[in-house]
Amino acid sequence: RGDIISFNSRLCQMLTSIGLDLDNAATLPGATFAMMRRQNSVLELAQVGDAIVIAILNNGEVIYSPNQVRKHDGYLDPMLENFMRNIGIKKYSRDLEKLSDDEVRSLRGPAWDKFYPVYIANKFNDVNRIASPHSFGLLNGQRTLSDFIWSRNLNVDDVLCVLLLTDGFFRGGMIQGLSDVEIAENIYKIYKIGGWTSVLQEAREAERKISKRNYIDHAEATGYAIEFV
């Protein structure tokens, strides 16, 4: 945790030196992350944003980090879908669900143009602002990042497996109506069946089911698994 705060402070200095406004998260580059470091017999886990950490202990307990961006996305995604839906009706006189894949793709650019001011305003309000009801952390040089760093230290002898993954591995129906711990448990169950290939297949199938309402074809998915034997 201390090293993350130190790195973020150096990032703050760098971004300030090139004239960026550290009070405006909407204009800052940033990153979410999930990480693990081993220091002798201790595993240090840390997370910010919508990348997540899942640690499975030898006793079956599941340690998981929250997806901090769920409320933010849950608030904004329906707005973007509504822009796509309205543009689709005007352009094709049909609802989203009745459009072809290419027709849906043709709506994304115009929908983003309309959605962008809403997105920027909410990014300004939500990023690293603990008072916002849709707040989430982002590594972007802002000092208030420290309010959002999730961290745990575990004894390596207690740990069976650690998964570090971006949100491209949990999409649509894989998360809808589920708590963070239910999502973590389900991801690990799928991982045990066939590794990352199985998890990605499940995520792609979930994306396929919402493809008519989605603003992208496929989300970026990066994952690491560390198994202890």
Side-chain angles (χ1 to χ4, degrees):
R1 182 183 178 89
D3 287 342
I4 295 169
I5 293 173
S6 177
F7 176 83
N8 190 59
S9 295
R10 295 196 298 273
L11 181 60
C12 172
Q13 294 171 2
M14 184 191 75
L15 295 177
T16 301
S17 72
I18 60 175
L20 293 184
D21 180 5
L22 267 293
D23 291 326
N24 187 358
T27 63
L28 296 175
T32 68
F33 62 84
M35 62 177 61
M36 185 197 83
R37 179 173 67 179
R38 179 171 179 174
Q39 297 276 64
N40 299 317
S41 63
V42 177
L43 295 182
E44 300 175 346
L45 308 174
Q47 174 262 3
V48 161
D50 56 7
I52 63 171
V53 176
I54 302 171
I56 310 300
L57 305 189
N58 291 321
N59 64 6
E61 182 182 356
V62 178
I63 305 294
Y64 62 95
S65 63
N67 176 2
Q68 300 173 359
V69 190
R70 284 187 78 178
K71 290 182 179 179
H72 175 85
D73 286 347
Y75 177 68
L76 291 181
D77 285 353
M79 295 187 190
L80 180 53
E81 178 188 331
N82 193 51
F83 282 127
M84 290 177 60
R85 192 174 297 279
N86 290 338
I87 294 171
I89 290 173
K90 290 180 180 178
K91 185 173 184 179
Y92 297 110
S93 299
R94 284 174 287 145
D95 211 347
L96 278 177
E97 288 73 15
K98 297 182 179 180
L99 300 180
S100 69
D101 290 344
D102 285 340
E103 287 172 335
V104 169
R105 292 187 185 101
S106 76
L107 306 177
R108 291 173 179 167
W112 263 104
D113 289 342
K114 290 182 175 296
F115 176 67
Y116 183 74
V118 178
Y119 168 74
I120 288 297
N122 279 272
K123 186 178 179 184
F124 174 83
N125 289 330
D126 293 347
V127 170
N128 296 331
R129 290 177 179 262
I130 198 70
S132 168
H134 310 123
S135 63
F136 66 94
L138 195 68
L139 180 67
N140 65 358
Q142 291 183 311
R143 291 179 176 84
T144 48
L145 168 72
S146 60
D147 294 331
F148 294 89
I149 300 172
W150 177 93
S151 62
R152 295 290 187 279
N153 289 344
L154 302 174
N155 189 306
V156 67
D157 292 333
D158 296 333
V159 180
L160 178 65
C161 178
V162 174
L163 304 180
L164 309 171
L165 57 154
T166 63
D167 67 334
F169 277 111
F170 44 99
R171 311 295 294 171
M174 294 177 70
I175 63 175
Q176 190 171 6
L178 300 178
S179 66
D180 285 337
V181 67
E182 289 171 328
I183 294 169
E185 290 172 343
N186 288 344
I187 289 173
Y188 182 62
K189 287 177 184 177
I190 300 168
Y191 172 82
K192 285 196 299 182
I193 293 171
W196 287 121
T197 299
S198 292
V199 182
L200 186 59
Q201 288 174 345
E202 190 83 10
R204 293 297 185 242
E205 176 60 20
E207 285 180 318
R208 186 191 66 77
K209 292 178 179 178
I210 61 170
S211 62
K212 301 295 187 182
R213 299 180 282 112
N214 206 355
Y215 61 93
I216 52 175
D217 285 341
H218 301 299
E220 176 278 330
T222 301
Y224 290 89
I226 304 95
E227 299 182 8
F228 298 88
V229 297

